[in-house]
Amino acid sequence: MRRGPLTPGEQIPVSDSQRQRKQRGAFFTPPELSRHLVAWAVRTPSDKVLEPSCGEASFLIPAGERLQELAGGRPVHGDQLRGIELHEPSAARARELLAGAGLQGSVIAGDFFEFEAPGSYDAVVGNPPYVRYQSFTGEARVRASERALRHGVRLTRLASSWAPFVIHASDFLKTDGRMALVLPAELLTVNYAAEVRRFLLNRFGRIRLILFEELVFPGVLEDVVLLLAEGMGPAPHFEVLQVRDAAALASLDVEGWEQYQPDAEGKWTPALLDDTAVDLYRELTNREEISPLLAWGETSLGAVTGNNRYFSRTGEQVAASGLPERDLVRISPPGSRHLRGLTFTERAWQELVRAGAAGYLFYPRKNPLSKAAANYVAEGEAAGVHLAYKCRVRTPWYRVPLVQVPDLLLTYMDYERPRLVTNQARLRHLNSLYGVFLRREVRQLGQDLLPMAAINSFTMLGAEMVGRAYGGGMLKLEPREADKLPVPSPELVNACATELRALRPQLAKALRQNNLAAAVKLVDRVILTKGMGLTHRDIQVIRGAREFLFARRATRGGGSGGKN
């Protein structure tokens, strides 16, 4: 039996499978992280420490050792260490490990959200369970939401489990207590975490975040931050320190903390940048030459089929099944790799279909079904397609709710940048893309020039600021984030129209050659330099900030990323 906490490089103890751990959001914490957080949070030999969702005592054991160290080697009292763990086998294992390490303490099996908060702990430490909203359901979610609501925090249905956990955990602290947690880095960026960010600033007197340049959880793509919060708020700002990896925690640069004062409703992503870049970004965002994409038009997700493999058809499959034209709708093929240029033309669509892309959607128009459609429906039922959730909840199951033909197509999961493409072929789109429906008064201008004008350094920086980094280094824009994407305003694009049109051949060539840097320089010269009057230094600051955020994201994807 292993005694005591993990050491760097040591394998985690095994009491259940990786799949079971993932289902309940349990990711074992590297010992460098737990020891660092405990060393900060536990200050005196009489401190009482709580580790909610304690797993296998990754924080309790270092906390016990820290208390013993502060007490000159004297033993820890039994009421100084407490763990709560939902998973009974893990709770039992935590008790064994505590005893094996020669530490007294208690570990209770149960749902943390069912425990009342006595406000009697000097330190709350741990790594909250990370269960995404799709799996965070039922009574557990109701209890968690109610706990958050007691603090006036109304979390959306998109909130993952860690969000209410942070709020409830704070209730267990004394007024001068310290909370030290490992949290997903989406704390900084996602919309549903806005309420948590606001809560933290109001609840605590001082908040510090440690960010990592590299991923620190072995085998896990999730980016994390360390939260160090103390005292009673509100806090006027928070502080950020960026380090390379977990090993760097052993020799932190205490002079390296940067203060950041966030916008009331904004994300905390700008805290990653220096003040010069943040100030310039804010200034430009507020200038009339820059608009959110929403000023051009509405963005919406494409049609949700429930089974793209069944509903999207290639030309060869259509011919083999004998489906008539009236039972088909032309679509942009699933995915977004084919959208590389400025315009998706009829010719490009036909070439894709000839090459075997799924350019048709099965959409039998009206009863009675054609013989071919009836046969294909029967084929789907035999394969169980009609049992998929999205199919099951509509009538008839085989008629996909269509979305209107958008003016522009927008990619929302990218490595380099979100791509706007004019939908010249007038195709419908599936949920692998967003559609942009331009306002009538700017439709012609937007179809003609917005995809070109958006290939500028400022919009690319804006995408990093309003979007979020995903596992694998991808950048994702949710629909509301896409609405906020800063792009040149209709007035600026109109003022630059002649020069933008003159650039089209060069831009198209650069994009065909996959030379994004060359394309951006061409557009920057027209939009940022001539159109907005930015100096060379301003543009360098913008490019530097975007490169920093891009490189940070790409590092998490292993640097390969690829083109998409």
Side-chain angles (χ1 to χ4, degrees), residues 255-553:
E255 303 296 325
W257 291 95
E258 299 281 349
Q259 290 185 2
Y260 178 73
Q261 188 164 1
D263 296 332
E265 304 296 327
K267 298 185 176 187
W268 288 1
T269 309
L272 298 168
L273 303 176
D274 64 44
D275 291 344
T276 302
V278 173
D279 291 345
L280 181 59
Y281 179 79
R282 285 174 171 168
E283 178 200 337
L284 296 180
T285 303
N286 289 322
R287 281 176 58 166
E288 61 184 13
E289 295 101 324
I290 295 295
S291 299
L293 182 58
L294 184 61
W296 284 87
E298 301 278 349
T299 299
S300 78
L301 190 63
V304 178
T305 67
N307 187 327
N308 281 352
R309 185 182 293 274
Y310 173 80
F311 285 100
S312 61
R313 302 277 81 194
T314 67
E316 185 177 345
Q317 289 168 332
V318 167
S321 60
L323 288 169
E325 187 175 341
R326 75 181 185 93
D327 289 335
L328 300 166
V329 169
R330 300 189 327 152
I331 57 171
S332 176
S336 63
R337 288 178 176 272
H338 55 284
L339 297 176
R340 297 196 172 282
L342 299 168
T343 304
F344 193 21
T345 64
E346 176 70 22
R347 180 180 174 184
W349 178 79
Q350 291 181 359
E351 288 178 354
L352 280 170
V353 171
R354 280 196 294 273
Y360 299 95
L361 178 75
F362 175 56
Y363 187 76
R365 297 304 169 101
K366 291 182 180 178
N367 290 326
L369 297 177
S370 68
K371 182 178 179 182
N375 289 339
Y376 194 58
V377 167
E379 184 181 324
E381 291 176 351
V385 175
H386 62 302
L387 301 177
Y389 174 73
K390 289 295 182 182
C391 300
R392 206 170 63 236
V393 297
R394 67 188 177 221
T395 304
W397 69 266
Y398 48 78
R399 186 163 293 127
V400 175
L402 295 180
V403 177
Q404 293 298 309
V405 174
D407 300 303
L408 306 176
L409 299 169
L410 172 64
T411 63
Y412 63 82
M413 182 72 91
D414 298 89
Y415 181 65
E416 288 186 322
R417 66 180 178 101
R419 285 162 282 148
L420 274 169
V421 179
T422 301
N423 184 19
Q424 192 181 81
R426 304 299 296 166
L427 301 167
R428 296 183 190 270
H429 63 300
L430 302 184
N431 60 345
S432 51
L433 294 171
Y434 293 153
V436 180
F437 300 85
L438 295 168
R439 302 186 192 287
R440 181 178 54 80
E441 59 273 22
V442 297
R443 180 168 295 134
Q444 186 60 51
L445 183 69
Q447 288 177 317
D448 188 16
L449 295 176
L450 183 56
M452 297 174 64
I455 307 174
N456 69 81
S457 295
F458 184 70
T459 296
M460 290 173 63
L461 172 58
E464 301 286 345
M465 298 287 261
V466 303
R468 63 191 67 179
Y470 260 55
M474 303 297 281
L475 175 66
K476 184 177 183 183
L477 293 180
E478 295 291 347
R480 287 174 60 187
E481 293 165 345
D483 286 342
K484 297 176 182 176
L485 181 69
V487 295
S489 68
E491 293 75 18
L492 176 58
V493 173
N494 193 45
C496 299
T498 301
E499 290 182 86
L500 284 171
R501 290 192 178 98
L503 279 185
R504 188 181 294 276
Q506 299 173 67
L507 268 180
K509 181 180 178 181
L511 294 175
R512 279 197 304 274
Q513 295 175 341
N514 223 1
N515 191 347
L516 179 62
V520 171
K521 284 183 180 178
L522 290 169
V523 179
D524 279 357
R525 198 176 305 145
V526 173
I527 294 293
L528 302 185
T529 303
K530 295 184 179 179
M532 297 181 67
L534 300 191
T535 65
H536 175 73
R537 178 182 172 279
D538 289 338
I539 295 174
Q540 290 305 111
V541 169
I542 292 168
R543 287 176 180 168
R546 187 266 169 182
E547 283 301 314
F548 174 81
L549 294 177
F550 170 76
R552 191 172 189 280
R553 174 166 57 81

Side-chain angles (χ1 to χ4, degrees), residues 212-277:
F212 299 94
E213 296 173 7
E214 298 179 359
L215 296 175
V216 294
F217 272 65
V220 178
L221 289 177
E222 194 62 42
D223 191 10
V224 301
V225 301
L226 304 186
L227 169 70
L228 298 87
E230 61 182 309
M232 297 300 292
H237 54 256
F238 65 89
E239 300 161 67
V240 173
L241 182 65
Q242 298 189 62
V243 300
R244 181 179 178 81
D245 54 22
L249 294 173
S251 56
L252 286 185
D253 176 11
V254 295
E255 303 296 325
W257 291 95
E258 299 281 349
Q259 290 185 2
Y260 178 73
Q261 188 164 1
D263 296 332
E265 304 296 327
K267 298 185 176 187
W268 288 1
T269 309
L272 298 168
L273 303 176
D274 64 44
D275 291 344
T276 302

Side-chain angles (χ1 to χ4, degrees), residues 169-220:
S170 69
D171 254 358
F172 289 76
L173 284 170
K174 295 178 179 176
T175 56
D176 63 344
R178 287 184 165 187
M179 187 163 76
L181 300 176
V182 181
L183 297 178
E186 64 186 36
L187 165 69
L188 309 178
T189 60
V190 296
N191 290 330
Y192 78 75
E195 291 295 325
V196 181
R197 296 192 288 267
R198 190 179 301 112
F199 169 80
L200 289 172
L201 287 170
N202 287 329
R203 164 62 178 82
F204 291 100
R206 187 178 190 186
I207 297 170
R208 283 186 277 183
L209 297 172
I210 298 177
L211 286 63
F212 299 94
E213 296 173 7
E214 298 179 359
L215 296 175
V216 294
F217 272 65
V220 178

